[in-house]
Amino acid sequence: MPSGAGARRKSMDMDQGRDPSVATVQPASVNESARVLDEKSSSKRSGLSRAMKSRHIVMIGLGSAIGTGLFVGSGSAMAAAGPAVLLAYIVGGILVTLVMRMLGEMAAEAPSAGALSVFADKALGRTVGSTIGWLWWAVMVVSVAAEATAAAAIVHSLWPAVSQWLLALVFLTSLTGLNLLGVAKFGETEFWFTLLKVGAILAMFVVGGGILLGWIPVDEPTGFGNLVDRGGFMPNGISGVASALLMVVFAFGGVEIAAIAAAETKDPARNIGRAIRTIVLRIVVFYVGAVLIMLMVLPWNDSKLKESPFIAVLTFAGIPGAGTIMALVIVVALLSGLNANVYGASRLLFSLSDRGCAPSQVTRVTGKGVPRIGVLLSVAFGFAAVMLNYIWPTLVLKYLLNAVGSGTVIIWFFVIITQFILRRRMSTEKTNALAFKVWLFPYANYLALAILGGIVVLTCFDDAGRSQLLTTFIVTAAIAVACRLFSRAPSPKPLEEQV
């Protein structure tokens, strides 16, 4: 750029209150979309808070993946595949590792409250980016309603004097208020929620290990024999493993919220890389380790293991009140998921608004950097769904969850494709300078696509899964049409973000 133009830009920056020392974006040499991995992001100029800490990011991602999918859903997965469920968890662990590494690479270079939605916008166009954003938002707000309802049902079973709808209302109101207090309060609460869940897993490790080592006496045989003595390691064949794999992948869904949260840290590029490495390792260890111990302690076809595996192990060890203890842990897991989804949905809605894909009022933030309208709109859906579920308890959430239940598959697919396109567009120099890289690119993308494609094919052979997948595709297509027709012009960007 000529020196005169540079001086005029510097003067303009100073007049508008921007720091002229911030590096400006240079014109792209190949394509405008190659700018997506620039250091600038909408969250940096938006007024969102930067009060999130690195430990918060780790726990948010970890907590989003460790929930009822492990504490309850793992029992159904074990019943479907027998001991071979371990293979499903290993394959699922490989997939989530690759997907999070791809998302982490993009988020480390250009942290944004919209995360994948923003990256897909640059790689595949505005309609695709906004469609992914709204689908992701829908997955999260439906999860908010489901988690509030499920947590209320469990507490109501322990405390019948209080109505289930009232408990759901209290949970939603309390966590809405918490999110409005600021991102630091949210991050700290999520940290302690997740710490409690991790504590429950470690307690199960200790109890299960004590049984296997003979420190806790039991009346039935335990150990490696339980992995092969009842029909072999794969008693239900490959179809059983396939069914379990579907459950495993959906259980891992939600870990992507860490990429959204990274935009509200002081050093996003450094924190997201550290968080991704830690999150993925711990998820795989906790899931595979917990399931292995449970399968060695109790036979895979034990009805109690299918119903509630953690409670089954603790009860088998003779621990009094095991059912009540784990019920409360599951409630915490649900509230943790609710808390994280309210946060993620509000930031995603903020990003959509900032790009002209949602009402412009959503970009307003409080003095604490909270997009208040985004929070309220996101939980409003949850309040409505809970009330409707009170009127039609067997219908509303069933249809909502069916509509977006396969959303994780679509979101992960676009993570893989988006990262592939953006990396291909980057120069060698830029690629070498990446702070956080995908291993073995592009072969990692091919492997992830193959696993995900296999899961989709397997889903098509399951009646319930096929219906859910088809419904989600239809909803996604409807969102795409709406985004194409009703998006407004994005808000003006500062001069240094224009090319």
Side-chain angles (χ1 to χ4, degrees):
M1 178 182 296
S3 59
R8 286 195 299 274
R9 173 168 290 185
K10 183 173 181 179
S11 175
M12 187 176 293
D13 284 344
M14 295 177 69
D15 290 342
Q16 295 182 16
R18 291 193 296 271
D19 182 0
S21 66
V22 176
T24 58
V25 178
Q26 299 300 320
S29 58
V30 179
N31 193 302
E32 186 275 339
S33 296
R35 295 186 302 110
V36 69
L37 295 184
D38 177 60
E39 290 180 358
K40 294 294 180 182
S41 66
S42 61
S43 62
K44 190 168 184 176
R45 61 182 169 81
S46 64
L48 289 178
S49 171
R50 290 299 187 96
M52 195 85 76
K53 298 178 181 178
S54 178
R55 63 185 176 90
H56 293 155
I57 304 297
V58 172
M59 288 305 210
I60 288 167
L62 190 60
S64 297
I66 296 178
T68 53
L70 175 60
F71 292 119
V72 179
S74 57
S76 297
M78 284 184 272
V85 72
L86 293 169
L87 298 178
Y89 277 105
I90 291 171
V91 173
I94 292 171
L95 179 59
V96 75
T97 298
L98 295 174
V99 168
M100 286 307 295
R101 191 123 194 139
M102 294 168 195
L103 188 57
E105 178 182 291
M106 296 183 286
E109 275 306 291
S112 168
L116 175 62
S117 176
V118 172
F119 310 144
D121 188 320
K122 298 299 182 181
L124 297 159
R126 189 178 183 198
T127 299
V128 174
S130 56
T131 299
I132 293 301
W134 279 111
L135 174 65
W136 198 1
W137 181 83
V139 169
M140 285 192 273
V141 296
V142 170
S143 296
V144 166
E147 286 153 349
T149 302
I154 293 173
V155 175
H156 176 68
S157 68
L158 299 175
W159 192 14
V162 183
S163 300
Q164 182 177 327
W165 71 268
L166 181 59
L167 288 166
L169 191 64
V170 169
F171 293 151
L172 276 171
T173 303
S174 301
L175 293 178
T176 299
L178 177 68
N179 272 271
L180 291 173
L181 290 176
V183 71
K185 294 289 191 298
F186 157 76
E188 197 64 23
T189 303
E190 195 60 24
F191 175 86
W192 288 104
F193 271 160
T194 302
L195 199 62
L196 182 58
K197 289 188 285 185
V198 170
I201 296 171
L202 294 177
M204 199 281 298
F205 277 15
V206 171
V207 172
I211 293 173
L212 295 173
L213 293 172
W215 299 342
I216 299 176
V218 292
D219 296 329
E220 298 178 29
T222 62
F224 286 104
N226 277 339
L227 299 179
V228 294
D229 288 345
R230 290 169 175 80
F233 181 71
M234 195 181 293
N236 296 329
I238 193 66
S239 61
V241 178
S243 297
L245 185 58
L246 302 179
M247 303 176 200
V248 168
V249 170
F250 294 137
F252 285 148
V255 69
E256 314 88 13
I257 292 177
I260 295 177
E264 293 189 70
T265 63
K266 292 181 179 178
D267 189 358
R270 180 169 173 264
N271 286 331
I272 188 63
R274 178 190 299 173
I276 295 297
R277 294 184 189 96
T278 305
I279 290 167
V280 170
L281 177 62
R282 291 179 181 175
I283 286 174
V284 173
V285 169
F286 285 151
Y287 268 88
V288 175
V291 170
L292 176 61
I293 288 177
M294 289 186 285
L295 286 169
M296 292 173 66
V297 169
L298 290 168
W300 67 269
N301 54 359
D302 189 305
S303 60
K304 296 185 182 64
L305 195 64
K306 178 180 179 180
E307 182 179 344
S308 185
F310 276 70
I311 292 176
V313 171
L314 296 179
T315 303
F316 186 63
I319 296 178
T324 301
I325 293 170
M326 282 310 304
L328 294 176
V329 170
I330 293 169
V331 169
V332 169
L334 289 164
L335 294 181
S336 171
L338 192 164
N339 192 37
N341 280 310
V342 169
Y343 167 80
S346 65
R347 269 49 178 189
L348 193 52
L349 196 57
F350 173 91
S351 175
L352 287 166
S353 173
D354 194 42
R355 290 177 283 135
C357 304
S360 59
Q361 294 84 352
V362 180
T363 56
R364 299 173 186 170
V365 297
T366 66
K368 294 182 179 180
V370 177
R372 177 189 293 148
I373 296 176
V375 171
L376 296 177
L377 286 176
S378 296
V379 295
F381 186 92
F383 279 112
V386 167
M387 292 300 102
L388 289 173
N389 192 58
Y390 170 71
I391 300 171
W392 297 294
T394 61
L395 296 177
V396 177
L397 283 180
K398 175 183 176 182
Y399 286 116
L400 288 173
L401 289 169
N402 192 62
V404 298
S406 300
T408 296
V409 171
I410 296 176
I411 290 167
W412 286 10
F413 170 79
F414 278 101
V415 170
I416 299 165
I417 296 299
T418 298
Q419 188 273 335
F420 180 86
I421 292 172
L422 294 178
R423 175 72 87 84
R424 283 293 195 191
R425 291 176 180 173
M426 293 174 64
S427 66
T428 302
E429 181 181 355
K430 182 73 173 178
T431 300
N432 292 337
L434 288 173
F436 186 76
K437 293 183 183 180
V438 172
W439 299 315
L440 300 175
F441 175 87
Y443 303 107
N445 299 69
Y446 301 151
L447 176 59
L449 278 177
I451 296 174
L452 200 57
I455 290 170
V456 171
V457 170
L458 292 172
T459 302
C460 292
F461 287 97
D462 178 77
D463 290 340
R466 182 172 60 250
S467 172
Q468 188 177 93
L469 198 62
L470 180 60
T471 305
T472 305
F473 284 158
I474 293 172
V475 169
T476 304
I479 292 173
V481 172
C483 289
R484 183 73 175 178
L485 294 176
F486 300 112
S487 290
R488 60 180 170 80
S491 55
K493 292 180 171 60
L495 183 60
E496 68 266 21
E497 292 196 26
Q498 300 178 13
V499 174

